[in-house]
Amino acid sequence: MNLFTERVVAIIKQIPSGKVMTYGQIARLAGSPRGARQVVRVLHSMSKKYKLPWFRVINSKGELGINDQETHEAQVLFLEDEGIEVIDNKRVSLEKYQHHPE
DNA sequence: GGATTGACATCCC
DNA sequence: CGGGATGCCAATC
């Protein structure tokens, strides 16, 4: 567990319900502007061990970006349950739902 | 330790 | 918005 991972986890925990954040944004706040892919890796590790709102983390295009069908399906349900409109069952409006931290 | 890989980002069109 | 090309960084092979 390095500092980067801790910061990423902390940031993800701060995402309010009904909002989403991009990997790049989280990576930047965590101190690694180009560490988006590491954020992905953290999510994979932590989501299986801890209960993080990983479903609120999406990519720049607003896509959910999940590869596994089951996981992807679950994410869509979680987002809709929080009041987020999922377009084409795979995308959301970043302009409306992206969380902008101070 | 080099090559491969991945829930991505950014630029270009 | 969105598909293709290129770049980044760490874990894994």
Side-chain angles (χ1 to χ4, degrees):
Chain A
M1 175 79 86
N2 50 19
L3 179 60
F4 176 76
T5 304
E6 294 186 42
R7 287 180 59 81
V8 170
V9 173
I11 293 171
I12 295 177
K13 282 183 173 182
Q14 306 311 311
I15 305 178
S17 177
K19 293 285 183 177
V20 297
M21 285 187 73
T22 68
Y23 294 96
Q25 180 137 32
I26 295 174
R28 227 197 296 212
L29 294 176
S32 294
R34 278 81 199 178
R37 315 201 69 156
Q38 280 51 264
V39 176
V40 170
R41 204 170 290 280
V42 172
L43 254 61
H44 268 249
S45 300
M46 307 307 279
S47 64
K48 293 173 183 173
K49 299 179 180 60
Y50 305 88
K51 297 183 190 261
L52 297 178
W54 52 269
F55 48 85
R56 297 190 186 130
V57 185
I58 60 181
N59 63 27
S60 297
K61 297 191 180 112
E63 303 174 23
L64 307 187
I66 301 297
N67 47 20
D68 294 311
Q69 195 164 42
E70 300 178 65
T71 312
H72 172 273
E73 184 178 349
Q75 181 167 24
V76 174
L77 295 178
F78 276 122
L79 294 177
E80 290 185 335
D81 188 57
E82 297 197 342
I84 299 180
E85 178 189 17
V86 180
I87 303 171
D88 195 41
N89 219 253
K90 59 173 20 171
R91 224 165 54 229
V92 304
S93 300
L94 286 178
E95 288 298 316
K96 296 178 183 239
Y97 302 113
Q98 184 168 27
H99 175 51
H100 298 271
E102 343 169 6

